[in-house]
Amino acid sequence: MEEPSAPAVANDTIFIGGSEVVAIDTDGEEMWRNPDSGRTPAVANDTVYVTFSPGVRALSASDGSEQWEYVATVNDRPAEYAFPSAPAIVDKTIYFGLTDYAREDATAMYALSATTGTEQWMTLFERDIVVGAPAVADGVLYSHVAGFADFLSERGTVEAGRAIALDADDGTLRWEVDDAEDTEFSDPIVTNGLVLVEKHSILADESVILALEEADS
């Protein structure tokens, strides 16, 4: 059985994802159970959004019924062995990254209508194999991606990561931070006009926290 994911809490209800999605009240009483798998629940607009391989489902927060389902596609092919990131929901848009380990051309960031599940844009990262969870503030989406470096170390193949900022309206790249070929970045946190990320050197096994200025909206 799939391990439960971190819960989401809204309106005195706890939503837990895993091999199925369950809602319980603050007294521990089950309110509803949806038998389909879903992870990393996020709640907005009286809807529970959960990720699954390979996409996102929207469930009614009141009874767990499915509102819509989106299956990610790249170049007109459905994602296969795919792992979506935790979603971010801003206003009426849901954002998430997706890594497809079955293909080398299917790492992407997506924006969907939170109401209908219609794709608004998709940004493909053709040279990367991992994309992180997004954080969105003031019309800009922040995340990180990683591919393979152009060299082999004593520890084998090394990731080359980049912190990125995309336009939240259309997915175009605003900026990226790419300091070294052996660097990987954490999911970002946006606070007080700064984007905070952990930058980790894989070869040196050292980490620092970077404070980057937000992109202009």
Side-chain angles (χ1 to χ4, degrees):
M1 178 176 290
E2 187 175 350
E3 289 291 327
S5 63
V9 180
N11 300 322
D12 296 324
T13 304
I14 304 166
F15 303 93
I16 304 170
S19 56
E20 53 190 0
V21 183
V22 180
I24 60 176
D25 64 23
T26 52
D27 294 323
E29 296 293 327
E30 182 176 312
M31 300 175 63
W32 54 258
R33 181 180 297 261
N34 185 297
D36 292 324
S37 64
R39 298 189 61 78
T40 59
V43 185
N45 312 313
D46 296 320
T47 303
V48 184
Y49 301 93
V50 294
T51 59
F52 70 101
S53 179
V56 176
R57 290 190 183 96
L59 309 177
S60 167
S62 60
D63 62 14
S65 59
E66 185 175 297
Q67 306 299 298
W68 53 258
E69 178 181 287
Y70 173 82
V71 175
T73 60
V74 177
N75 297 327
D76 298 322
R77 289 175 53 197
E80 299 172 34
Y81 190 53
F83 291 87
S85 73
I89 305 159
V90 178
D91 298 327
K92 298 293 184 179
T93 303
I94 179 170
Y95 304 89
F96 69 99
L98 183 133
T99 301
D100 188 346
Y101 290 104
R103 298 168 56 184
E104 295 181 353
D105 63 344
T107 299
M109 187 69 70
Y110 294 82
L112 311 178
S113 165
T115 304
T116 65
T118 303
E119 183 180 305
Q120 297 180 346
W121 55 258
M122 182 270 287
T123 296
L124 184 64
F125 305 102
E126 293 184 341
R127 65 188 179 96
D128 296 296
I129 58 167
V130 175
V131 61
V136 182
D138 299 323
V140 182
L141 180 152
Y142 304 94
S143 188
H144 66 98
V145 293
F148 286 129
D150 295 329
F151 65 92
L152 293 177
S153 73
E154 294 179 355
R155 297 167 59 182
T157 304
V158 177
E159 287 185 358
R162 309 191 312 282
I164 58 171
L166 306 179
D167 189 302
D169 288 333
D170 59 18
T172 55
L173 183 68
R174 292 290 196 89
W175 54 249
E176 63 180 24
V177 174
D178 183 6
D179 283 348
E181 285 191 310
D182 72 329
T183 298
E184 59 185 0
F185 291 88
S186 69
D187 293 336
I189 298 172
V190 183
T191 180
N192 296 326
L194 295 175
V195 183
L196 304 180
V197 293
E198 177 189 7
K199 183 182 74 170
H200 177 70
S201 171
I202 301 169
L203 298 181
D205 196 22
E206 296 177 347
S207 295
V208 296
I209 302 298
L210 297 183
L212 310 172
E213 290 187 358
E214 282 190 50
D216 293 332
S217 59

